[in-house]
Amino acid sequence: MLETLNNLLQTYGYVAVFISIFLESTGLPFPGESILIAAGIMAGHGELNVWGVVGAAWFGGTMGDNLGYYIGHRFGRRFVARYGSRFGITPEKFQMVEARFQKVGPPIVLIARFILILRQLAGFVSGTLRFPWWEFLLFNALGAALWSGAYGFGAYILGDRIDTYLHGSPWAYAAIAAVFLLFTATTILKFRKSAKSLAQAADSTDSSSEEGGKGGPSLG
């Protein structure tokens, strides 16, 4: 895989970095993060300019998320209205999620850049929930800058060591995979817990509304 990424970067350079991260940020399953790390390592070897790598990654991430935001803003609500019930997403639950997201939206958009799956879906979800675009753009651009800088400059500075470890020991891959799976599992569990809490709150709200409706005529 590393050889494939290196060949891709040697042929297309910064364009490959931009396009891969752009596609990943729109929601497509593309290895943007891996390409960024590979490009950072190549910059450490003098084959690319690290500022060009980080700049291409930042621009691709920002533009890709904004395209995802547009798609979500334009079609997301229609999708939820038509297919949401199949996934247990009623209009009432959707409104509660929307209110919660708008309340803590900016940090979610910023932090989502560092978390797999959230990185791909942040733009679409923000658009679907009608998050204010200027705020989304601000935190999205900031998150993309921090993420691009952390991975790009990190791989650039530690490039020789990363290259040595990955080629010298297969256990390095196992360690990276273990850390990745741990963070992914933790993220999924937290979101499942949050979604369950929202669902229970929505159900209790629905029950209260029905009881109020039944009690209304007797009060008259």
Side-chain angles (χ1 to χ4, degrees):
M1 180 178 177
L2 288 175
E3 184 177 351
T4 302
L5 295 180
N6 286 334
N7 292 334
L8 183 66
L9 288 167
Q10 287 173 353
T11 304
Y12 300 103
Y14 311 111
V15 176
V17 176
F18 169 81
I19 292 177
S20 63
I21 294 175
F22 173 84
L23 293 176
E24 182 191 47
S25 299
T26 61
L28 297 176
F30 214 82
E33 186 174 277
S34 299
I35 289 182
L36 174 57
I37 294 173
I41 293 174
M42 290 180 65
H45 294 163
E47 299 177 61
L48 293 171
N49 182 281
V50 66
W51 289 101
V53 170
V54 172
W58 172 79
F59 191 54
T62 302
M63 295 300 293
D65 273 344
N66 275 275
L67 177 59
Y69 177 93
Y70 172 78
I71 294 173
H73 191 276
R74 186 77 181 271
F75 306 106
R77 283 180 175 270
R78 244 179 281 173
F79 177 85
V80 172
R82 180 173 296 183
Y83 303 107
S85 59
R86 298 183 182 181
F87 303 95
I89 305 175
T90 63
E92 292 78 13
K93 292 177 183 178
F94 181 79
Q95 289 176 2
M96 291 190 66
V97 172
E98 181 179 20
R100 179 68 61 85
F101 188 87
Q102 289 176 344
K103 182 179 179 181
V104 296
I108 287 179
V109 172
L110 193 153
I111 296 171
R113 172 57 58 178
F114 292 86
I115 303 174
L116 186 67
I117 300 176
L118 292 186
R119 180 166 60 250
Q120 287 90 336
L121 297 179
F124 179 82
V125 172
S126 298
T128 300
L129 297 179
R130 303 297 172 89
F131 192 82
W133 180 72
W134 282 108
E135 290 186 55
F136 169 79
L137 176 63
L138 172 64
F139 287 96
N140 169 51
L142 179 59
L146 294 174
W147 176 77
S148 302
Y151 282 87
F153 285 115
Y156 170 76
I157 295 171
L158 302 174
D160 290 332
R161 293 184 180 180
I162 293 174
D163 203 25
T164 299
Y165 290 148
L166 291 183
H167 284 84
S169 174
W171 290 106
Y173 287 103
I176 293 173
V179 173
F180 166 78
L181 290 175
L182 177 62
F183 277 103
T184 301
T186 302
T187 301
I188 293 173
L189 289 174
K190 285 183 178 180
F191 269 84
R192 286 187 62 183
K193 184 177 180 181
S194 177
K196 186 176 180 180
S197 299
L198 287 172
Q200 291 174 345
D203 291 339
S204 63
T205 301
D206 294 341
S207 300
S208 299
S209 299
E210 291 176 1
E211 291 176 1
K214 292 178 181 179
S218 63
L219 292 175

